[in-house]
Amino acid sequence: MQRPNYAKLHPRFSWLRDYLAQAAPPGRLPGRQDIDPSRLKALLPFINLVDVEYDAGELRFRFRLVGTLQTEVAGREISGRYLEDAVLPEFMERIRNNMRKCVTTRKPVYDRFPMPHPARDFIDTERVYFPLARDGETIDMLLILNDYPHEEVQATEPAPERKETRPSSGLESKTPAQ
């Protein structure tokens, strides 16, 4: 559990970081309403959305959406399930702590660990948890971007290339600068 070192991660992580920063209202966190899913099309198979619920002073986490590639690689569907019903008991505290840290620090959290896989013992995974807040302040959702560094897994479309570190606003001139 640590801050992400984007220079060592797949370029899709820094692209998403930059996109979320650009989508956020000034001085606030982005909310789900600030995100255009069509801009994330190449990343959607790698993304999980997790609802953050505040229940009598305790945080609860429910997987709202789980990317198709995540479901395929994990070999199971966890959409709609609470954390304690979605992950194996031996990983629950680690994942819960990552989610709590993201909520309490209001900053992205990185983690990498082997995930159980039905066809073999484990698959190497890494992920960054990004906080989202509908009101720009109170975190009500986490956007989790997953990757499988040693696997031959690909989304149906390529992820953004490294050279594209700032998302396009769509307002830039289509002609080269003179």
Side-chain angles (χ1 to χ4, degrees):
M1 203 172 16
Q2 57 192 340
R3 295 286 308 269
N5 181 349
Y6 294 100
K8 292 185 176 186
L9 297 174
H10 191 283
R12 70 176 63 96
F13 287 98
S14 59
W15 187 92
L16 182 59
R17 173 204 59 201
D18 294 344
Y19 173 75
L20 292 173
Q22 181 254 347
R28 301 174 76 77
L29 291 170
R32 184 173 170 209
Q33 74 278 2
D34 300 314
I35 298 170
D36 178 358
S38 69
R39 297 286 310 278
L40 304 180
K41 189 174 181 181
L43 300 181
L44 290 177
F46 298 93
I47 288 178
N48 296 349
L49 288 178
V50 177
D51 290 323
V52 177
E53 299 177 4
Y54 297 83
D55 184 19
E58 293 294 319
L59 292 174
R60 290 201 70 200
F61 302 99
R62 186 177 65 83
F63 289 90
R64 174 181 287 268
L65 170 100
V66 178
T68 55
L69 189 59
Q70 172 73 12
T71 298
E72 179 183 318
V73 170
R76 52 193 237 154
E77 174 60 62
I78 61 172
S79 294
R81 294 185 184 181
Y82 281 95
L83 178 65
E84 55 272 15
D85 300 323
V87 302
L88 295 174
E90 59 266 30
F91 294 98
M92 191 175 65
E93 279 310 306
R94 181 178 189 149
I95 294 169
R96 180 181 283 140
N97 287 339
N98 288 336
M99 291 177 172
R100 282 182 184 150
K101 184 173 183 180
C102 186
V103 170
T104 59
T105 65
R106 304 168 49 82
K107 304 246 184 257
V109 171
Y110 167 82
D111 199 9
R112 182 175 183 167
F113 59 90
M115 179 177 72
H117 188 273
R120 58 179 185 265
D121 289 337
F122 293 96
I123 186 170
D124 187 26
T125 66
E126 60 187 348
R127 64 208 60 197
V128 176
Y129 302 76
F130 294 94
L132 300 178
R134 183 176 319 132
D135 64 3
E137 294 295 324
T138 306
I139 297 166
D140 58 357
M141 186 171 282
L142 302 176
L143 188 159
I144 306 168
L145 182 59
N146 298 279
D147 192 33
Y148 310 94
H150 300 296
E151 299 299 318
E152 293 295 325
V153 293
Q154 297 294 322
T156 54
E157 296 183 25
E161 296 178 21
R162 181 173 293 281
K163 66 183 178 181
E164 185 182 355
T165 57
R166 292 292 298 167
S168 167
S169 67
L171 303 175
E172 295 85 356
S173 170
K174 301 295 182 195
T175 59
Q178 299 185 0

